[in-house]
Amino acid sequence: MPELPEVETVRRGLEPWLTGKRIRQVEIFHPRALREGSTIPFDSIIGARIERVDRRGKFLWFVLDRDIALVGHLGMSGQMLASPRKAQPEKHLRARIDFGDKKREFRFIDQRTFGWLSVESLVSNNYGLLPECCSHIAPDIFSEEFDEREVIAKVRGRKVEIKKALLNQEILSGIGNIYADEALWHAKIHPETPASKLSEIELKAIFKAVRRVMRSALKQGGTSFDDLYINVNGESGYFEVSLRAYGREDEPCRRCGTFIRRITFANRSSHFCPKCQRKKGVKARSRGKSRAKWGRKIPSKRGAVR
Ligand SMILES: [Zn+2]
């Protein structure tokens, strides 16, 4: 599922292409391509000029010369492409926008239909002017509005596990399963650690790891783990080769050699090193037991996952 680095990669691909262009024509090919509850007619953006492409967490939108915005969410498998106009329609093509470009057009492709587009009115809140559907979304870690002290206080005030707090888009946005697992591995924190039990120093270490992992992912064009995420030119990211925990079940930890474990938690998979990321307050297993359980050779399931 695309997270901040993937959505930002798409935004960076769209902005230079679309800024200054006018929307000539729009087409929707699937009812789920429009956000459920979206009320403003999709064709009300026809004639509008794109001023820039903005993002908050995993939401991105076209800022228009009108008091509405065109918002998009990639969901699980959404792709926003600058496709050659002559190219055959893709199997899962959900929407198309003509910007008057002679060579290329915007195509929204979504195999699993959890992604959407929506024309939204703008509302002002503490964070400025935002499209209505993402006005409840907190700033992300790279945003100027991100206040680390405030976010640390919010996280520590939650009676949930740290991984769940990191995934809560109303505390901080942009983090999903992949980068949560990666940041917790780098910070050596067990995903099920109660958020309230973490010290300020440990939370700072987690946020530092989130920044580091996401910056590095951005440089590599994001993570195309399930082969569905691609940038606007149809190219995959290649950060998956740098993953240390996510998707590495039964592969050795790059720090200590212990096999990475996968647990199901909050309806998602969590990957972690049972040795480097011990649960706070839980006594470590004896070396013998640990070896018996984790020291045996388990065939890699990576191929099956991918
Ligand atoms: Zn380890």
Side-chain angles (χ1 to χ4, degrees):
M1 179 170 175
E3 303 178 30
L4 188 154
E6 292 76 40
V7 180
E8 176 63 13
T9 303
V10 170
R11 192 199 69 76
R12 289 180 185 181
L14 291 173
E15 192 168 65
W17 173 45
L18 294 180
T19 300
K21 288 206 166 54
R22 265 186 207 283
I23 297 170
R24 298 281 175 91
Q25 208 191 335
V26 295
E27 281 174 287
I28 291 280
F29 303 110
H30 192 282
R32 285 187 63 176
L34 283 182
R35 186 179 73 84
E36 207 186 334
S38 181
T39 53
I40 303 177
F42 198 65
D43 59 9
S44 54
I45 54 173
I46 292 176
R49 184 178 175 273
I50 315 275
E51 295 191 332
R52 60 176 191 279
V53 183
D54 243 336
R55 181 188 57 75
R56 185 173 202 81
K58 303 176 204 171
F59 293 74
L60 63 80
W61 65 92
F62 299 173
V63 177
L64 307 174
D65 60 351
R66 298 183 180 180
D67 54 1
I68 48 174
L70 172 62
V71 186
H73 196 290
L74 299 175
M76 305 282 283
S77 59
Q79 301 171 348
M80 293 182 183
L81 301 183
S83 289
R85 293 175 74 105
K86 288 178 186 165
Q88 283 290 314
E90 293 78 0
K91 189 178 174 195
H92 302 288
L93 179 63
R94 307 298 184 207
R96 180 152 62 182
I97 302 177
D98 178 358
F99 290 97
D101 184 321
K102 282 180 185 153
K103 288 183 183 157
R104 296 187 294 172
E105 60 185 14
F106 173 91
R107 291 187 184 181
F108 180 59
I109 294 141
D110 191 8
Q111 185 182 328
R112 295 166 76 175
T113 65
F114 287 101
W116 46 259
L117 300 173
S118 180
V119 180
E120 299 278 325
S121 52
L122 301 169
V123 293
S124 91
N125 69 4
N126 295 346
Y127 305 123
L129 211 54
L130 290 170
E132 199 165 5
C133 66
C134 50
S135 59
H136 61 293
I137 299 294
D140 64 61
I141 203 154
F142 297 114
S143 157
E144 276 176 19
E145 300 141 354
F146 182 78
D147 181 339
E148 189 164 288
R149 282 177 74 177
E150 194 189 307
V151 176
I152 285 177
K154 270 190 195 166
V155 170
R156 294 182 79 193
R158 296 284 169 130
K159 287 191 175 115
V160 294
E161 301 83 352
I162 181 59
K163 170 130 181 216
K164 224 171 162 183
L166 290 177
L167 297 178
N168 185 333
Q169 305 296 304
E170 293 178 25
I171 298 179
L172 79 163
S173 63
I175 305 178
N177 219 21
I178 297 178
Y179 298 104
D181 281 1
E182 290 304 295
L184 290 170
W185 181 88
H186 282 280
K188 300 186 186 177
I189 303 287
H190 192 288
E192 288 178 305
T193 310
S196 58
K197 281 196 177 170
L198 289 167
S199 67
E200 221 176 295
I201 292 171
E202 286 171 316
L203 280 164
K204 278 186 177 166
I206 293 173
F207 291 145
K208 196 176 162 190
V210 170
R211 276 192 200 94
R212 184 178 143 193
V213 170
M214 285 189 166
R215 270 202 194 107
S216 169
L218 252 174
K219 273 189 197 154
Q220 295 174 61
T223 304
S224 295
F225 194 80
D226 54 10
D227 296 331
L228 288 171
Y229 161 72
I230 46 176
N231 70 13
V232 298
N233 299 316
E235 300 149 350
S236 296
Y238 48 97
F239 187 67
E240 58 271 25
V241 297
S242 308
L243 294 175
R244 294 292 180 258
Y246 186 84
R248 298 195 67 242
E249 184 187 9
D250 296 336
E251 289 182 41
C253 168
R254 295 272 169 86
R255 207 159 32 205
C256 74
T258 305
F259 289 114
I260 296 290
R261 271 192 76 190
R262 181 173 71 90
I263 50 169
T264 309
F265 152 73
N267 295 324
R268 293 163 190 257
S269 290
S270 281
H271 306 77
F272 66 99
C273 169
K275 190 175 172 190
C276 299
Q277 294 167 267
R278 287 204 168 118
K279 223 172 183 174
K280 234 184 171 183
V282 177
K283 276 196 173 175
R285 287 173 219 267
S286 74
R287 276 181 76 91
K289 238 184 170 178
S290 156
R291 272 200 187 145
K293 190 154 187 196
W294 306 116
R296 68 199 152 95
K297 179 76 188 147
I298 306 169
S300 168
K301 287 181 188 160
R302 186 146 192 214
V305 175
R306 285 171 67 86

